[in-house]
Amino acid sequence: MLSVDALEVAYGGIRALKGVALEVGRGEIVALLGNNGAGKTTTLKTISGLLRPRRGAIALEGESLVGVPPHRIVLKGIAHVPEGRRIFNRLSVRENLMMGAYPRHDAAAIAGDLDRVLVLFPRLGERIAQVAGTLSGGEQQMLAIARALMLGPRLLLLDEPSMGLAPVLVEQIFETIVDINRQGTTILLVEQNAAMALAIAHRGYVLETGSVVLTDTAAGLSDNADVRRAYLGE
Amino acid sequence: MDLPLLVGIFPQVFLDGLILGFMYALIALGYTMVYGVLEFINFAHSEIFIVGAFVGVEILLGMRAAGWLEALPWPLVLLLILVAGMAGAGLLAVSVERIAYRPLRGAPRLIPLISAIGVSFFLQDLIRLVESIWRNAFNLVYPTMDALNHRFELTETIDVSVKSLVVIAAALAMLWALHALVNRTKIGTAIRAVAEDQAAASLMGIDVNRIISLTFLIGGAMGGAAGVLFGVQYGLINPYSGFIPGLKAFTAAVLGGIGNIPGAMIGGVVLGLLEAFAASYLSLLTGGAFGAEYKDIFAFSVLILILIFRPKGLLGEIVRERA
């Protein structure tokens, strides 16, 4: 579905990605693992068009995304839940969700999707008229994911959905991610919490200082001695 | 002190202040909306306002020359110049952003500010040049319409002209329409989303540049409407008469909390009222020691006091809050 090849991205003179290549197949959950600064967030931002690559290819179903501005990439069915959630604090929960459906004009289908995300995240239903800035951290993360789902995306890019959340909430969010995937959305997941990510992913890539150093099935990575030492805390 | 006089003129002064205040409010919206999305003060907005006034006067003069001014019903004429003034000023504001601000989007903050000051001077002299060639004069007087100048005498000391009522009604309608647009429509929600976080808005599929253009269009149109109402109300305009009302409207926007749309409306009305009351009451209350010419000093002193106690403005809690 998504293929990234020889991707190079630089901030000023500093090369953040040095030839990243990865594939995401339809229906998969693919985890992108690595330490801070390995280039995980940069990879997602480049796929969604927030950053322009210096070199390399990004294609969705064979169609190139390089040089396409972010608001057009959204139209192709890629929704990005950015690092730090980036919900609109001053808008209500409902307005945030409606912004997620901004490019769509099918009112009936949008209403249907609103019902669907409120079933996934009942807490948001209780707070639908509240200003989003007043939500708790966990609720804000739910809102960020729900907002992205309002696009009805083919591919969902998730950046650190566990960040800053209590373990019980993290578990809840990850269960929901599995649900979303079962309902047909392909997911590329960036996560510091490697154990959680590998527990729900089909496959994974390990990034180190801007390059892919390892790729395998989630089970394979969980069994890999280097991964266990570096990312699973053994 | 003449108490009955002080009380007697109160409604009249209040009305004058309201008219002035609504005008400031309409202009202030242009400053505050642009600041909301770009965190940038569009110093050329005072000229966009006065261009609205010039579009209005040109159409009126043209209609008078053609003999239509008497033939057509006045509400229609007024609607026509209002719409034309809004369109002219709105499109000018969009063009200014494209030409003078957008290429500087990534530059340090002072650079677009200087560009805006340049545009301001450029537009002043451009209007002067065009009008000098076209009419051989750049001080223009709004043609009067008899029906608009009709006054109702309410009491001995208070009378209201049709014109004043029309200006108030038009300003209120415009403020209401803008409020509804920004708060109750999808495109208005998108404007607020872009104001809060441009990158996140683009990830929603919002074309940020289009929303910025739209913001300039709406802010410019409100300024243009204020320009037409200014001309209708006060009569005489010249290419430089946008500057002071523009500066005061900018102050009104800061008073209300820059970036905050209801704040600009309230700030404008408060400043207009302060100025009108100072103009009429200062001399009466101080026994002539301070005359009406001190109105700005009084109004701005009050303003400074308010800002000392509420530095973010009356409605401003609008500093970027980011989780």
Side-chain angles (χ1 to χ4, degrees), chain B residues 215-269:
Chain B
T215 306
F216 275 86
L217 181 73
I218 296 171
M222 292 289 149
V228 169
L229 298 178
F230 180 85
V232 168
Q233 178 72 19
Y234 303 115
L236 180 71
I237 56 167
N238 76 47
Y240 310 102
S241 46
F243 184 71
I244 295 293
L247 205 59
K248 288 185 178 166
F250 167 61
T251 317
V254 174
L255 175 66
I258 187 101
N260 183 314
I261 289 171
M265 300 182 183
I266 290 169
V269 171

Side-chain angles (χ1 to χ4, degrees), chain A residues 48 50 70-71 74 80 82 84-91 95-96 99-105 140 147 151, chain B residues 183 186-187 189-190 192-193 195-197 199-208 211 318-323:
Chain A
S48 64
L50 289 175
H71 65 269
V74 172
H80 181 175
R85 305 173 192 124
R86 305 286 281 270
I87 60 161
F88 302 112
N89 284 309
R90 299 201 290 268
L91 269 50
E95 285 172 333
N96 267 277
M99 284 296 99
Y102 183 81
R104 300 172 56 185
H105 300 285
Q140 291 192 6
R147 184 179 66 171
L151 178 70
Chain B
N183 291 301
K186 182 171 162 183
I187 201 82
T189 313
R192 286 181 288 138
E196 193 170 328
D197 188 335
S202 73
L203 290 180
M204 302 297 109
I206 298 171
D207 183 342
V208 171
I211 294 292
I318 259 265
V319 180
R320 319 239 118 190
E321 63 250 56
R322 197 151 276 162

